[in-house]
Structure formats: structure tokens, C-alpha cells
Amino acid sequence: MSSSTREHDPEFVQMNNLACESVGAKVLFATDDWFAAAENLLNKSDPEFKVGLFTEYGKWMDGWETRRKRIPGHDWCIIELGVPGVIHGFHVDTRFFTGNYAPRISVQVACLQEKILLPPRGDRIGSAATEEDFKAVERLHSEKWEYLLKMTELTPGYAESCHSYFHVTSKDRWTHIRLNMYPDGGIARFKVYGIGKRDWSLCGPNDLEDLLSMANGSVCLGYSDAHYGHPRNLIGLGRAADMGDGWETARRLDRPPILKADEKGILQVPGNEWTVFRLGHAGLITHLEIDTNHFKGKSVVKYLCKWRCFINGIQRYFPDINILIHTVN
């Protein structure tokens, strides 16, 4: 079991987080950001707790935390997915929100064709949505969006209870989310796991496309080890920000105490690590790009890529859809 997943995590957490700020997801609207802004929900890094740190509005918290409700209603926010796609599950993390976590949530979704123009958010801590903000967001009629998750209870942010997972069975493509909390409180992180979905009819037969990009529907199907970084990072958008934004395995314990080379000067190291991806679309592979940026003292020695095509579960030996990457430690 790798350190990047917990023993009882559902399978869908191996998929891509479509609502991560690193892939372009953003908060478009929130009813209240008094203690902590809703943008924190989308951070890629794990939430942290800083003892004794206060702002002028109250205790500093790494998440979205609204004030105690003193008017009718409940708090909610609108999130634009960084990568539109099919949603397979939600992960709600209330870490460190122990006496102030949101007791209940629901999730609504929409597939919007046009770009949404709402007032810019800016620095929202210590504030609530203005009358102008509410008038602008009313045009979306988000209260009528489809529910992927009806009102359900969350658990407090202690280490043993802070993670809540919700499986989704929808097969439709979604672009925006309305996250409702009832009636108020705090949530540290909100992750939307799924598979990107694009309109391939707009792509020409000779266009050069990245079939392994999460934006084009690629997804990680399995791997040997993800101790320091999950292999799904390999199919993220843009270049990695640091080593934590790549795939790094634990050092193999079956390495010999003293490394030796054969007559050709090749180091004799047993075993290898591997990961399997499903391409976003079948296609003819003409180029492979492997980026070891930031891995200066621990880059991989060799790579071996294999590919197979499966149509309706039957393996074929023409255009490629599954790709297997081997690395030698």
C-alpha cells in the first residue's frame, strides 16, 4: 500500500481531481468567506493547522469556513471545474475542523456551454457576497441544477474521521458544481474525481494531440508504487511545479548493497516500477515526451513503453489505447 492512498480509500481516488487549482479549477462565487476563503477547497496540498495563528476575523484555518449563520438560508459556492468531464466520486476533507465543521452538504452540477461572467472574487476573507454578487449569480439558476449528491452528513475533522467519500454513478459530462453546506461551517478540501471528456469531433484526423493528457480523457489504471507522488501527476496540465508534482516511488529494498555493471557498462539492478494509463482516445502514437524536470539526483535510468489496444474489452493489435510505462530504479 503506497503512502499516497489510505487502506480503505475507494477506487475512484486513483482518477484525476477535476476540481484542483493546479488544473485551472476556480471558485466563481461563495455566499460567505468570513474565516477562510472558498478557494482553499481547491488547493492541491494537504490542509495544515497553525497553532495560535489568528487573523483579525478569527482563527486562521486552511479551508473554507463561513461565519455562524444569523440569517435564513445556508451557505454555498459555485466551482468551475478545471477539466470538464465525467464525475465518479467526491472526497470531502474536514481535517482540523473539529467543532466548526459543516455538518451536512449536498452537491449539484451543470454542463454550461457559455463562459460565465461573474464579478471577480479578489481577496474575500472577512467578507460575504454582496447584493451585486447575488444578482449576478442568480442568472445561473444554480438552485435548479441536478443533484449528484443529496443532503448527507459529514464527520468532524479528527484524523480518524475527517475523510468522507461519495460514489457517483452519472455518465454525463459536467463543467460546474454547486457545493452546498448546511447551514454553515468549515470544509478543508473538496475533490472531484473523474475522467476528462472533450469533443473529439472538433479534432482533425492529422492533428497532433496529447492522448495522455487528463484534459483529453486519459486516466491512470494502476501502478506498482506511489510512495512520494502518484503517477497520475504525469498526465497533469503544464510542467510540474516541483518533485511532489511528479511520480516518485520508494527506493527498492531489493537493490544489492554494491551495484555492479555488466561488460557493456550497464548497471545490474533487479526489478522495476510500472504504471498503466488508458489513453483519452485511440490514435497513432508518433511522439513520446518524458520530462524529468526537478528530479536532479533521482531521475530514472531507463524507460520502456508498451501499448495495447482494447475494443469492448477485446485486445486488438492496431491503434493504441492503453499504455504501460516501465522504469528502472
Side-chain angles (χ1 to χ4, degrees):
M1 176 58 59
S2 74
S3 61
S4 64
T5 58
R6 286 166 292 274
E7 184 177 356
H8 301 295
D9 286 356
E11 290 187 4
F12 65 71
V13 302
Q14 307 301 334
M15 296 182 180
N16 306 310
N17 180 9
L18 307 180
C20 184
E21 48 84 23
S22 66
V23 299
K26 59 185 69 173
V27 174
L28 302 181
F29 171 87
T31 54
D32 189 283
D33 299 91
W34 182 263
F35 292 106
E39 278 76 8
N40 293 328
L41 292 171
L42 314 182
N43 288 343
K44 184 173 183 178
S45 59
D46 287 340
E48 56 182 326
F49 186 80
K50 297 183 178 181
V51 178
L53 179 60
F54 288 80
T55 72
E56 61 180 300
Y57 306 106
K59 178 68 180 74
W60 181 91
M61 294 296 289
D62 190 4
W64 177 35
E65 185 182 3
T66 66
R67 74 189 83 194
R68 299 187 187 215
K69 210 75 177 161
R70 294 293 184 263
I71 57 175
H74 64 89
D75 287 315
W76 52 278
C77 69
I78 299 290
I79 298 170
E80 180 182 352
L81 296 180
V83 175
V86 178
I87 297 171
H88 287 255
F90 302 115
H91 173 199
V92 184
D93 186 349
T94 59
R95 207 171 329 179
F96 307 121
F97 289 92
T98 54
N100 52 348
Y101 72 100
R104 300 171 187 83
I105 65 161
S106 69
V107 181
Q108 295 171 263
V109 290
C111 184
L112 305 181
Q113 303 302 323
E114 298 180 0
K115 189 71 175 178
I116 297 178
L117 296 177
L118 295 176
R121 292 264 300 158
D123 184 8
R124 302 293 297 195
I125 188 171
S127 68
T130 65
E131 184 177 348
E132 177 189 4
D133 294 330
F134 275 108
K135 285 184 178 180
V137 80
E138 281 176 0
R139 299 195 302 268
L140 301 179
H141 302 291
S142 61
E143 72 281 358
K144 298 180 181 179
W145 290 359
E146 180 176 340
Y147 280 93
L148 285 191
L149 179 67
K150 294 291 184 69
M151 187 189 297
T152 188
E153 292 186 354
L154 295 181
T155 47
Y158 299 105
E160 66 275 11
S161 62
C162 63
H163 299 287
S164 296
Y165 300 96
F166 305 99
H167 181 70
V168 173
T169 58
S170 170
K171 301 301 181 183
D172 295 319
R173 178 181 183 268
W174 306 110
T175 61
H176 291 76
I177 280 180
R178 172 169 162 152
L179 173 62
N180 303 295
M181 65 164 67
Y182 303 100
D184 52 37
I187 299 171
R189 296 290 186 270
F190 177 64
K191 298 181 179 181
V192 180
Y193 287 104
I195 300 175
K197 188 175 182 180
R198 62 169 289 185
D199 185 358
W200 286 97
S201 66
L202 303 177
C203 176
N206 296 318
D207 289 351
L208 192 63
E209 299 284 349
D210 184 359
L211 302 178
L212 201 56
S213 170
M214 64 172 288
N216 290 333
S218 180
V219 65
C220 179
L221 299 180
Y223 55 88
S224 58
D225 187 275
H227 190 86
Y228 293 111
H230 199 289
R232 64 168 168 251
N233 292 335
L234 298 178
I235 61 176
L237 307 187
R239 299 195 74 188
D242 49 42
M243 285 197 301
D245 201 18
W247 175 34
E248 183 179 359
T249 65
R251 302 197 185 202
R252 296 182 63 93
L253 298 181
D254 57 357
R255 292 174 299 160
I258 300 175
L259 301 183
K260 297 181 180 180
D262 62 14
E263 63 277 5
K264 296 182 180 180
I266 299 176
L267 285 176
Q268 301 302 292
V269 181
N272 60 66
E273 307 295 355
W274 57 268
T275 180
V276 177
F277 295 100
R278 186 177 69 210
L279 301 185
H281 196 279
L284 176 65
I285 297 176
T286 60
H287 299 75
L288 290 174
E289 178 182 334
I290 297 176
D291 188 352
T292 58
N293 188 31
H294 304 300
F295 287 88
K296 298 175 181 178
K298 51 178 70 176
S299 60
V300 173
V301 179
K302 294 180 181 179
Y303 304 88
L304 173 63
C305 294
K306 302 178 182 179
W307 44 85
R308 295 288 186 271
C309 179
F310 291 86
I311 298 179
N312 295 328
I314 301 175
Q315 182 171 319
R316 306 296 186 188
Y317 291 94
F318 42 93
D320 315 301
I321 193 167
N322 283 350
I323 187 165
L324 170 64
I325 299 178
H326 283 283
T327 67
V328 177
N329 197 340

PDB file of all heavy atoms in Angstrom, residues 163-194:
ATOM      1  N   HIS A 163     -12.231  12.153   6.656  1.00  0.00           N
ATOM      2  CA  HIS A 163     -12.384  11.862   5.227  1.00  0.00           C
ATOM      3  C   HIS A 163     -13.746  11.238   4.942  1.00  0.00           C
ATOM      4  O   HIS A 163     -14.092  10.185   5.490  1.00  0.00           O
ATOM      5  CB  HIS A 163     -11.282  10.919   4.747  1.00  0.00           C
ATOM      6  CG  HIS A 163      -9.909  11.486   4.897  1.00  0.00           C
ATOM      7  ND1 HIS A 163      -9.420  12.483   4.082  1.00  0.00           N
ATOM      8  CD2 HIS A 163      -8.914  11.207   5.788  1.00  0.00           C
ATOM      9  CE1 HIS A 163      -8.183  12.781   4.443  1.00  0.00           C
ATOM     10  NE2 HIS A 163      -7.866  12.035   5.478  1.00  0.00           N
ATOM     11  N   SER A 164     -14.507  11.886   4.052  1.00  0.00           N
ATOM     12  CA  SER A 164     -15.797  11.352   3.622  1.00  0.00           C
ATOM     13  C   SER A 164     -15.760  11.177   2.108  1.00  0.00           C
ATOM     14  O   SER A 164     -15.357  12.094   1.380  1.00  0.00           O
ATOM     15  CB  SER A 164     -16.936  12.312   4.006  1.00  0.00           C
ATOM     16  OG  SER A 164     -17.050  12.430   5.402  1.00  0.00           O
ATOM     17  N   TYR A 165     -16.192   9.994   1.635  1.00  0.00           N
ATOM     18  CA  TYR A 165     -16.166   9.678   0.206  1.00  0.00           C
ATOM     19  C   TYR A 165     -17.582   9.376  -0.274  1.00  0.00           C
ATOM     20  O   TYR A 165     -18.347   8.709   0.419  1.00  0.00           O
ATOM     21  CB  TYR A 165     -15.259   8.470  -0.064  1.00  0.00           C
ATOM     22  CG  TYR A 165     -13.822   8.674   0.359  1.00  0.00           C
ATOM     23  CD1 TYR A 165     -13.375   8.218   1.601  1.00  0.00           C
ATOM     24  CD2 TYR A 165     -12.922   9.312  -0.475  1.00  0.00           C
ATOM     25  CE1 TYR A 165     -12.064   8.403   1.991  1.00  0.00           C
ATOM     26  CE2 TYR A 165     -11.599   9.495  -0.091  1.00  0.00           C
ATOM     27  CZ  TYR A 165     -11.179   9.041   1.141  1.00  0.00           C
ATOM     28  OH  TYR A 165      -9.877   9.228   1.524  1.00  0.00           O
ATOM     29  N   PHE A 166     -17.888   9.844  -1.478  1.00  0.00           N
ATOM     30  CA  PHE A 166     -19.219   9.647  -2.027  1.00  0.00           C
ATOM     31  C   PHE A 166     -19.102   9.211  -3.483  1.00  0.00           C
ATOM     32  O   PHE A 166     -18.577   9.948  -4.321  1.00  0.00           O
ATOM     33  CB  PHE A 166     -20.036  10.937  -1.923  1.00  0.00           C
ATOM     34  CG  PHE A 166     -20.104  11.490  -0.530  1.00  0.00           C
ATOM     35  CD1 PHE A 166     -19.270  12.522  -0.125  1.00  0.00           C
ATOM     36  CD2 PHE A 166     -20.984  10.947   0.401  1.00  0.00           C
ATOM     37  CE1 PHE A 166     -19.323  13.032   1.158  1.00  0.00           C
ATOM     38  CE2 PHE A 166     -21.039  11.441   1.698  1.00  0.00           C
ATOM     39  CZ  PHE A 166     -20.206  12.480   2.083  1.00  0.00           C
ATOM     40  N   HIS A 167     -19.589   8.013  -3.783  1.00  0.00           N
ATOM     41  CA  HIS A 167     -19.533   7.464  -5.139  1.00  0.00           C
ATOM     42  C   HIS A 167     -20.641   8.063  -5.996  1.00  0.00           C
ATOM     43  O   HIS A 167     -21.750   8.309  -5.521  1.00  0.00           O
ATOM     44  CB  HIS A 167     -19.671   5.944  -5.092  1.00  0.00           C
ATOM     45  CG  HIS A 167     -19.605   5.291  -6.429  1.00  0.00           C
ATOM     46  ND1 HIS A 167     -18.441   5.233  -7.173  1.00  0.00           N
ATOM     47  CD2 HIS A 167     -20.560   4.683  -7.167  1.00  0.00           C
ATOM     48  CE1 HIS A 167     -18.683   4.602  -8.301  1.00  0.00           C
ATOM     49  NE2 HIS A 167     -19.963   4.265  -8.331  1.00  0.00           N
ATOM     50  N   VAL A 168     -20.328   8.320  -7.271  1.00  0.00           N
ATOM     51  CA  VAL A 168     -21.276   8.907  -8.214  1.00  0.00           C
ATOM     52  C   VAL A 168     -21.440   7.966  -9.400  1.00  0.00           C
ATOM     53  O   VAL A 168     -20.455   7.407  -9.896  1.00  0.00           O
ATOM     54  CB  VAL A 168     -20.785  10.288  -8.697  1.00  0.00           C
ATOM     55  CG1 VAL A 168     -21.663  10.830  -9.807  1.00  0.00           C
ATOM     56  CG2 VAL A 168     -20.742  11.274  -7.525  1.00  0.00           C
ATOM     57  N   THR A 169     -22.678   7.797  -9.874  1.00  0.00           N
ATOM     58  CA  THR A 169     -22.941   6.872 -10.977  1.00  0.00           C
ATOM     59  C   THR A 169     -23.266   7.589 -12.282  1.00  0.00           C
ATOM     60  O   THR A 169     -23.495   6.951 -13.294  1.00  0.00           O
ATOM     61  CB  THR A 169     -24.103   5.932 -10.629  1.00  0.00           C
ATOM     62  OG1 THR A 169     -25.262   6.723 -10.328  1.00  0.00           O
ATOM     63  CG2 THR A 169     -23.754   5.061  -9.434  1.00  0.00           C
ATOM     64  N   SER A 170     -23.281   8.904 -12.294  1.00  0.00           N
ATOM     65  CA  SER A 170     -23.621   9.656 -13.512  1.00  0.00           C
ATOM     66  C   SER A 170     -22.585   9.411 -14.606  1.00  0.00           C
ATOM     67  O   SER A 170     -21.384   9.317 -14.337  1.00  0.00           O
ATOM     68  CB  SER A 170     -23.692  11.152 -13.204  1.00  0.00           C
ATOM     69  OG  SER A 170     -23.794  11.906 -14.392  1.00  0.00           O
ATOM     70  N   LYS A 171     -23.025   9.334 -15.852  1.00  0.00           N
ATOM     71  CA  LYS A 171     -22.130   9.155 -17.005  1.00  0.00           C
ATOM     72  C   LYS A 171     -22.068  10.414 -17.873  1.00  0.00           C
ATOM     73  O   LYS A 171     -21.458  10.403 -18.951  1.00  0.00           O
ATOM     74  CB  LYS A 171     -22.587   7.973 -17.859  1.00  0.00           C
ATOM     75  CG  LYS A 171     -22.639   6.647 -17.099  1.00  0.00           C
ATOM     76  CD  LYS A 171     -21.283   6.286 -16.534  1.00  0.00           C
ATOM     77  CE  LYS A 171     -21.345   4.952 -15.788  1.00  0.00           C
ATOM     78  NZ  LYS A 171     -20.043   4.602 -15.152  1.00  0.00           N
ATOM     79  N   ASP A 172     -22.706  11.487 -17.412  1.00  0.00           N
ATOM     80  CA  ASP A 172     -22.762  12.714 -18.194  1.00  0.00           C
ATOM     81  C   ASP A 172     -21.529  13.584 -17.959  1.00  0.00           C
ATOM     82  O   ASP A 172     -20.801  13.419 -16.972  1.00  0.00           O
ATOM     83  CB  ASP A 172     -24.017  13.515 -17.837  1.00  0.00           C
ATOM     84  CG  ASP A 172     -25.288  12.780 -18.214  1.00  0.00           C
ATOM     85  OD1 ASP A 172     -25.309  12.174 -19.300  1.00  0.00           O
ATOM     86  OD2 ASP A 172     -26.244  12.788 -17.411  1.00  0.00           O
ATOM     87  N   ARG A 173     -21.313  14.521 -18.865  1.00  0.00           N
ATOM     88  CA  ARG A 173     -20.209  15.478 -18.765  1.00  0.00           C
ATOM     89  C   ARG A 173     -20.679  16.716 -18.013  1.00  0.00           C
ATOM     90  O   ARG A 173     -21.761  17.244 -18.275  1.00  0.00           O
ATOM     91  CB  ARG A 173     -19.744  15.870 -20.171  1.00  0.00           C
ATOM     92  CG  ARG A 173     -18.626  16.905 -20.236  1.00  0.00           C
ATOM     93  CD  ARG A 173     -18.300  17.208 -21.686  1.00  0.00           C
ATOM     94  NE  ARG A 173     -17.191  18.125 -21.841  1.00  0.00           N
ATOM     95  CZ  ARG A 173     -17.325  19.452 -21.948  1.00  0.00           C
ATOM     96  NH1 ARG A 173     -18.540  19.987 -21.906  1.00  0.00           N
ATOM     97  NH2 ARG A 173     -16.273  20.229 -22.099  1.00  0.00           N
ATOM     98  N   TRP A 174     -19.846  17.182 -17.056  1.00  0.00           N
ATOM     99  CA  TRP A 174     -20.196  18.333 -16.240  1.00  0.00           C
ATOM    100  C   TRP A 174     -19.076  19.370 -16.278  1.00  0.00           C
ATOM    101  O   TRP A 174     -17.898  19.017 -16.388  1.00  0.00           O
ATOM    102  CB  TRP A 174     -20.477  17.912 -14.799  1.00  0.00           C
ATOM    103  CG  TRP A 174     -21.501  16.830 -14.674  1.00  0.00           C
ATOM    104  CD1 TRP A 174     -21.288  15.530 -14.303  1.00  0.00           C
ATOM    105  CD2 TRP A 174     -22.906  16.934 -14.936  1.00  0.00           C
ATOM    106  NE1 TRP A 174     -22.462  14.815 -14.316  1.00  0.00           N
ATOM    107  CE2 TRP A 174     -23.482  15.658 -14.709  1.00  0.00           C
ATOM    108  CE3 TRP A 174     -23.742  17.974 -15.350  1.00  0.00           C
ATOM    109  CZ2 TRP A 174     -24.828  15.402 -14.869  1.00  0.00           C
ATOM    110  CZ3 TRP A 174     -25.092  17.724 -15.508  1.00  0.00           C
ATOM    111  CH2 TRP A 174     -25.623  16.462 -15.265  1.00  0.00           C
ATOM    112  N   THR A 175     -19.452  20.647 -16.158  1.00  0.00           N
ATOM    113  CA  THR A 175     -18.469  21.734 -16.186  1.00  0.00           C
ATOM    114  C   THR A 175     -18.438  22.533 -14.883  1.00  0.00           C
ATOM    115  O   THR A 175     -17.420  23.131 -14.556  1.00  0.00           O
ATOM    116  CB  THR A 175     -18.783  22.713 -17.332  1.00  0.00           C
ATOM    117  OG1 THR A 175     -20.091  23.290 -17.118  1.00  0.00           O
ATOM    118  CG2 THR A 175     -18.742  22.006 -18.687  1.00  0.00           C
ATOM    119  N   HIS A 176     -19.560  22.558 -14.142  1.00  0.00           N
ATOM    120  CA  HIS A 176     -19.646  23.391 -12.941  1.00  0.00           C
ATOM    121  C   HIS A 176     -20.331  22.641 -11.805  1.00  0.00           C
ATOM    122  O   HIS A 176     -21.153  21.752 -12.040  1.00  0.00           O
ATOM    123  CB  HIS A 176     -20.422  24.684 -13.233  1.00  0.00           C
ATOM    124  CG  HIS A 176     -19.703  25.618 -14.142  1.00  0.00           C
ATOM    125  ND1 HIS A 176     -19.623  25.405 -15.507  1.00  0.00           N
ATOM    126  CD2 HIS A 176     -19.019  26.763 -13.891  1.00  0.00           C
ATOM    127  CE1 HIS A 176     -18.924  26.395 -16.056  1.00  0.00           C
ATOM    128  NE2 HIS A 176     -18.547  27.217 -15.105  1.00  0.00           N
ATOM    129  N   ILE A 177     -19.984  23.054 -10.589  1.00  0.00           N
ATOM    130  CA  ILE A 177     -20.511  22.418  -9.379  1.00  0.00           C
ATOM    131  C   ILE A 177     -21.028  23.483  -8.428  1.00  0.00           C
ATOM    132  O   ILE A 177     -20.428  24.562  -8.293  1.00  0.00           O
ATOM    133  CB  ILE A 177     -19.404  21.585  -8.697  1.00  0.00           C
ATOM    134  CG1 ILE A 177     -19.256  20.247  -9.426  1.00  0.00           C
ATOM    135  CG2 ILE A 177     -19.697  21.349  -7.218  1.00  0.00           C
ATOM    136  CD1 ILE A 177     -18.194  19.361  -8.848  1.00  0.00           C
ATOM    137  N   ARG A 178     -22.128  23.171  -7.798  1.00  0.00           N
ATOM    138  CA  ARG A 178     -22.616  23.968  -6.667  1.00  0.00           C
ATOM    139  C   ARG A 178     -22.471  23.109  -5.418  1.00  0.00           C
ATOM    140  O   ARG A 178     -23.127  22.064  -5.289  1.00  0.00           O
ATOM    141  CB  ARG A 178     -24.064  24.398  -6.868  1.00  0.00           C
ATOM    142  CG  ARG A 178     -24.667  25.052  -5.615  1.00  0.00           C
ATOM    143  CD  ARG A 178     -25.992  25.717  -5.897  1.00  0.00           C
ATOM    144  NE  ARG A 178     -26.735  25.958  -4.660  1.00  0.00           N
ATOM    145  CZ  ARG A 178     -27.626  26.938  -4.486  1.00  0.00           C
ATOM    146  NH1 ARG A 178     -27.870  27.772  -5.480  1.00  0.00           N
ATOM    147  NH2 ARG A 178     -28.269  27.073  -3.341  1.00  0.00           N
ATOM    148  N   LEU A 179     -21.608  23.532  -4.513  1.00  0.00           N
ATOM    149  CA  LEU A 179     -21.383  22.835  -3.246  1.00  0.00           C
ATOM    150  C   LEU A 179     -22.180  23.556  -2.166  1.00  0.00           C
ATOM    151  O   LEU A 179     -21.918  24.726  -1.862  1.00  0.00           O
ATOM    152  CB  LEU A 179     -19.897  22.815  -2.901  1.00  0.00           C
ATOM    153  CG  LEU A 179     -19.519  22.274  -1.518  1.00  0.00           C
ATOM    154  CD1 LEU A 179     -19.926  20.814  -1.360  1.00  0.00           C
ATOM    155  CD2 LEU A 179     -18.015  22.447  -1.269  1.00  0.00           C
ATOM    156  N   ASN A 180     -23.152  22.856  -1.594  1.00  0.00           N
ATOM    157  CA  ASN A 180     -23.993  23.413  -0.528  1.00  0.00           C
ATOM    158  C   ASN A 180     -23.538  22.878   0.821  1.00  0.00           C
ATOM    159  O   ASN A 180     -23.338  21.662   0.975  1.00  0.00           O
ATOM    160  CB  ASN A 180     -25.458  23.019  -0.740  1.00  0.00           C
ATOM    161  CG  ASN A 180     -25.996  23.450  -2.093  1.00  0.00           C
ATOM    162  OD1 ASN A 180     -26.108  24.633  -2.377  1.00  0.00           O
ATOM    163  ND2 ASN A 180     -26.321  22.468  -2.941  1.00  0.00           N
ATOM    164  N   MET A 181     -23.382  23.761   1.803  1.00  0.00           N
ATOM    165  CA  MET A 181     -23.155  23.311   3.179  1.00  0.00           C
ATOM    166  C   MET A 181     -24.351  23.753   4.018  1.00  0.00           C
ATOM    167  O   MET A 181     -24.914  24.824   3.807  1.00  0.00           O
ATOM    168  CB  MET A 181     -21.833  23.839   3.752  1.00  0.00           C
ATOM    169  CG  MET A 181     -21.741  25.330   3.915  1.00  0.00           C
ATOM    170  SD  MET A 181     -20.372  25.837   5.000  1.00  0.00           S
ATOM    171  CE  MET A 181     -18.943  25.383   4.067  1.00  0.00           C
ATOM    172  N   TYR A 182     -24.759  22.885   4.957  1.00  0.00           N
ATOM    173  CA  TYR A 182     -25.976  23.133   5.737  1.00  0.00           C
ATOM    174  C   TYR A 182     -25.657  23.131   7.233  1.00  0.00           C
ATOM    175  O   TYR A 182     -25.236  22.102   7.766  1.00  0.00           O
ATOM    176  CB  TYR A 182     -27.016  22.057   5.445  1.00  0.00           C
ATOM    177  CG  TYR A 182     -27.402  21.924   3.998  1.00  0.00           C
ATOM    178  CD1 TYR A 182     -26.848  20.920   3.210  1.00  0.00           C
ATOM    179  CD2 TYR A 182     -28.310  22.797   3.412  1.00  0.00           C
ATOM    180  CE1 TYR A 182     -27.210  20.782   1.877  1.00  0.00           C
ATOM    181  CE2 TYR A 182     -28.680  22.659   2.076  1.00  0.00           C
ATOM    182  CZ  TYR A 182     -28.133  21.651   1.320  1.00  0.00           C
ATOM    183  OH  TYR A 182     -28.492  21.508  -0.006  1.00  0.00           O
ATOM    184  N   PRO A 183     -25.934  24.228   7.955  1.00  0.00           N
ATOM    185  CA  PRO A 183     -26.237  25.533   7.364  1.00  0.00           C
ATOM    186  C   PRO A 183     -24.977  26.368   7.106  1.00  0.00           C
ATOM    187  O   PRO A 183     -24.985  27.264   6.277  1.00  0.00           O
ATOM    188  CB  PRO A 183     -27.102  26.185   8.441  1.00  0.00           C
ATOM    189  CG  PRO A 183     -26.542  25.641   9.731  1.00  0.00           C
ATOM    190  CD  PRO A 183     -26.099  24.242   9.433  1.00  0.00           C
ATOM    191  N   ASP A 184     -23.901  26.072   7.841  1.00  0.00           N
ATOM    192  CA  ASP A 184     -22.664  26.846   7.740  1.00  0.00           C
ATOM    193  C   ASP A 184     -21.524  25.977   8.267  1.00  0.00           C
ATOM    194  O   ASP A 184     -21.702  24.791   8.566  1.00  0.00           O
ATOM    195  CB  ASP A 184     -22.766  28.159   8.543  1.00  0.00           C
ATOM    196  CG  ASP A 184     -23.211  27.928   9.990  1.00  0.00           C
ATOM    197  OD1 ASP A 184     -22.808  26.905  10.598  1.00  0.00           O
ATOM    198  OD2 ASP A 184     -23.983  28.748  10.524  1.00  0.00           O
ATOM    199  N   GLY A 185     -20.322  26.537   8.399  1.00  0.00           N
ATOM    200  CA  GLY A 185     -19.208  25.790   8.978  1.00  0.00           C
ATOM    201  C   GLY A 185     -17.988  25.786   8.100  1.00  0.00           C
ATOM    202  O   GLY A 185     -17.774  26.702   7.294  1.00  0.00           O
ATOM    203  N   GLY A 186     -17.183  24.727   8.258  1.00  0.00           N
ATOM    204  CA  GLY A 186     -15.908  24.672   7.557  1.00  0.00           C
ATOM    205  C   GLY A 186     -15.643  23.331   6.888  1.00  0.00           C
ATOM    206  O   GLY A 186     -16.034  22.278   7.383  1.00  0.00           O
ATOM    207  N   ILE A 187     -14.974  23.390   5.741  1.00  0.00           N
ATOM    208  CA  ILE A 187     -14.508  22.222   4.994  1.00  0.00           C
ATOM    209  C   ILE A 187     -13.092  22.522   4.544  1.00  0.00           C
ATOM    210  O   ILE A 187     -12.827  23.612   4.019  1.00  0.00           O
ATOM    211  CB  ILE A 187     -15.395  21.929   3.764  1.00  0.00           C
ATOM    212  CG1 ILE A 187     -16.838  21.629   4.187  1.00  0.00           C
ATOM    213  CG2 ILE A 187     -14.838  20.762   2.956  1.00  0.00           C
ATOM    214  CD1 ILE A 187     -17.800  21.548   3.015  1.00  0.00           C
ATOM    215  N   ALA A 188     -12.176  21.581   4.721  1.00  0.00           N
ATOM    216  CA  ALA A 188     -10.779  21.828   4.375  1.00  0.00           C
ATOM    217  C   ALA A 188     -10.515  21.681   2.875  1.00  0.00           C
ATOM    218  O   ALA A 188      -9.928  22.566   2.241  1.00  0.00           O
ATOM    219  CB  ALA A 188      -9.861  20.899   5.166  1.00  0.00           C
ATOM    220  N   ARG A 189     -10.891  20.550   2.300  1.00  0.00           N
ATOM    221  CA  ARG A 189     -10.655  20.298   0.888  1.00  0.00           C
ATOM    222  C   ARG A 189     -11.869  19.600   0.275  1.00  0.00           C
ATOM    223  O   ARG A 189     -12.558  18.805   0.932  1.00  0.00           O
ATOM    224  CB  ARG A 189      -9.420  19.402   0.677  1.00  0.00           C
ATOM    225  CG  ARG A 189      -8.096  20.017   1.127  1.00  0.00           C
ATOM    226  CD  ARG A 189      -7.658  21.169   0.237  1.00  0.00           C
ATOM    227  NE  ARG A 189      -6.320  21.633   0.603  1.00  0.00           N
ATOM    228  CZ  ARG A 189      -6.090  22.597   1.504  1.00  0.00           C
ATOM    229  NH1 ARG A 189      -7.109  23.176   2.115  1.00  0.00           N
ATOM    230  NH2 ARG A 189      -4.849  22.962   1.773  1.00  0.00           N
ATOM    231  N   PHE A 190     -12.074  19.892  -1.017  1.00  0.00           N
ATOM    232  CA  PHE A 190     -13.160  19.261  -1.766  1.00  0.00           C
ATOM    233  C   PHE A 190     -12.577  18.791  -3.092  1.00  0.00           C
ATOM    234  O   PHE A 190     -12.116  19.594  -3.902  1.00  0.00           O
ATOM    235  CB  PHE A 190     -14.291  20.265  -2.002  1.00  0.00           C
ATOM    236  CG  PHE A 190     -15.431  19.736  -2.828  1.00  0.00           C
ATOM    237  CD1 PHE A 190     -16.205  18.684  -2.371  1.00  0.00           C
ATOM    238  CD2 PHE A 190     -15.737  20.296  -4.062  1.00  0.00           C
ATOM    239  CE1 PHE A 190     -17.266  18.192  -3.121  1.00  0.00           C
ATOM    240  CE2 PHE A 190     -16.791  19.819  -4.823  1.00  0.00           C
ATOM    241  CZ  PHE A 190     -17.556  18.765  -4.354  1.00  0.00           C
ATOM    242  N   LYS A 191     -12.585  17.470  -3.298  1.00  0.00           N
ATOM    243  CA  LYS A 191     -12.002  16.900  -4.506  1.00  0.00           C
ATOM    244  C   LYS A 191     -13.068  16.202  -5.338  1.00  0.00           C
ATOM    245  O   LYS A 191     -13.927  15.495  -4.794  1.00  0.00           O
ATOM    246  CB  LYS A 191     -10.881  15.923  -4.142  1.00  0.00           C
ATOM    247  CG  LYS A 191      -9.723  16.600  -3.402  1.00  0.00           C
ATOM    248  CD  LYS A 191      -8.602  15.636  -3.076  1.00  0.00           C
ATOM    249  CE  LYS A 191      -7.462  16.346  -2.352  1.00  0.00           C
ATOM    250  NZ  LYS A 191      -6.343  15.428  -2.033  1.00  0.00           N
ATOM    251  N   VAL A 192     -12.984  16.415  -6.628  1.00  0.00           N
ATOM    252  CA  VAL A 192     -13.951  15.856  -7.572  1.00  0.00           C
ATOM    253  C   VAL A 192     -13.195  14.920  -8.506  1.00  0.00           C
ATOM    254  O   VAL A 192     -12.490  15.366  -9.409  1.00  0.00           O
ATOM    255  CB  VAL A 192     -14.651  16.964  -8.378  1.00  0.00           C
ATOM    256  CG1 VAL A 192     -15.663  16.361  -9.351  1.00  0.00           C
ATOM    257  CG2 VAL A 192     -15.329  17.962  -7.438  1.00  0.00           C
ATOM    258  N   TYR A 193     -13.319  13.618  -8.273  1.00  0.00           N
ATOM    259  CA  TYR A 193     -12.555  12.644  -9.056  1.00  0.00           C
ATOM    260  C   TYR A 193     -13.366  12.173 -10.261  1.00  0.00           C
ATOM    261  O   TYR A 193     -14.556  11.873 -10.160  1.00  0.00           O
ATOM    262  CB  TYR A 193     -12.188  11.445  -8.188  1.00  0.00           C
ATOM    263  CG  TYR A 193     -11.097  11.758  -7.186  1.00  0.00           C
ATOM    264  CD1 TYR A 193     -11.394  11.942  -5.836  1.00  0.00           C
ATOM    265  CD2 TYR A 193      -9.774  11.876  -7.599  1.00  0.00           C
ATOM    266  CE1 TYR A 193     -10.396  12.232  -4.926  1.00  0.00           C
ATOM    267  CE2 TYR A 193      -8.773  12.168  -6.693  1.00  0.00           C
ATOM    268  CZ  TYR A 193      -9.090  12.349  -5.358  1.00  0.00           C
ATOM    269  OH  TYR A 193      -8.092  12.642  -4.462  1.00  0.00           O
ATOM    270  N   GLY A 194     -12.682  12.126 -11.399  1.00  0.00           N
ATOM    271  CA  GLY A 194     -13.361  11.683 -12.598  1.00  0.00           C
ATOM    272  C   GLY A 194     -12.414  11.616 -13.784  1.00  0.00           C
ATOM    273  O   GLY A 194     -11.191  11.583 -13.632  1.00  0.00           O
TER     274      GLY A 194
END
